[in-house]
Amino acid sequence: MRKEPPDDQVALNAAMGLALEQARAAAERGETPVGAVILDPITGEIVAVAGNGPIGAHDPTAHAEIVAMRAAAEKFGNYRLTDLTLVVTLEPCAMCAGAISHARIGRVVYGADDPKGGAVAHGPKFFEQPTCHWRPAVTAGLMAQESADLLRGFFRARRKPKGDAA
């Protein structure tokens, strides 16, 4: 008996919920709260999960997307992640968009827009460039408010003056 693929929206919502958990965990470590999940849309299997980690890893490339792609590539023994879906709480930056393209990710689903550092809908619009050799399908705005609120709260708390009880 063939297993039916999971309902796309249910699987994406569950994956984004997991990505948000990873983002919260990153915030607790003092990292920018971004989380990522790699999902196999055919089976519904969660392939990899990660939260941001550049500070703790002493690695400027340890963005949640990159860490998740590294884990997925290791799991499959292949740097090509064709047909997989990357679910991430924040619009990917130029570095992550480049890695997504090189990995041949099939679809990117992200939560909050990033007008300053994003590279998918903002900035260089990486996947729209004629030199981009692989373009994933992109879905923006999944649980965008929750993702944006998490980021805003994190940075608001960091800007609050010491000793301010409010």
Side-chain angles (χ1 to χ4, degrees), residues 72-90:
E74 183 70 27
K75 177 176 183 166
F76 292 121
N78 191 340
Y79 71 107
R80 297 285 194 223
L81 303 174
T82 310
D83 298 329
L84 297 178
T85 298
L86 171 67
V87 178
V88 61
T89 58
L90 183 65

Side-chain angles (χ1 to χ4, degrees), residues 58-156:
H58 309 291
D59 178 358
T61 70
H63 289 195
E65 301 95 308
I66 302 287
V67 175
M69 285 188 285
R70 285 178 183 152
E74 183 70 27
K75 177 176 183 166
F76 292 121
N78 191 340
Y79 71 107
R80 297 285 194 223
L81 303 174
T82 310
D83 298 329
L84 297 178
T85 298
L86 171 67
V87 178
V88 61
T89 58
L90 183 65
E91 177 184 351
C93 69
M95 175 185 69
C96 292
I100 289 163
S101 181
H102 283 283
R104 308 285 199 270
I105 291 284
R107 182 178 183 191
V108 174
V109 177
Y110 70 87
D113 282 331
D114 186 358
K116 285 185 177 180
V120 176
H122 298 89
K125 298 182 181 178
F126 189 90
F127 302 130
E128 294 178 21
Q129 297 307 310
T131 55
C132 179
H133 61 280
W134 178 266
R135 293 169 180 82
V138 175
T139 303
L142 180 62
M143 298 186 191
Q145 191 64 51
E146 192 171 349
S147 297
D149 289 348
L150 183 59
L151 285 155
R152 272 193 290 277
F154 175 80
F155 287 111
R156 187 176 302 120

Side-chain angles (χ1 to χ4, degrees), residues 6-74:
D7 177 85
D8 186 55
Q9 197 57 52
V10 170
L12 291 175
N13 287 343
M16 184 59 83
L18 188 53
L20 283 162
E21 287 177 21
Q22 291 294 310
R24 287 184 199 96
E28 289 174 13
R29 297 188 306 270
E31 303 278 0
T32 300
V34 177
V37 170
I38 297 189
L39 170 72
D40 182 333
I42 304 301
T43 65
E45 176 190 3
I46 299 296
V47 175
V49 297
N52 250 11
I55 297 167
H58 309 291
D59 178 358
T61 70
H63 289 195
E65 301 95 308
I66 302 287
V67 175
M69 285 188 285
R70 285 178 183 152
E74 183 70 27

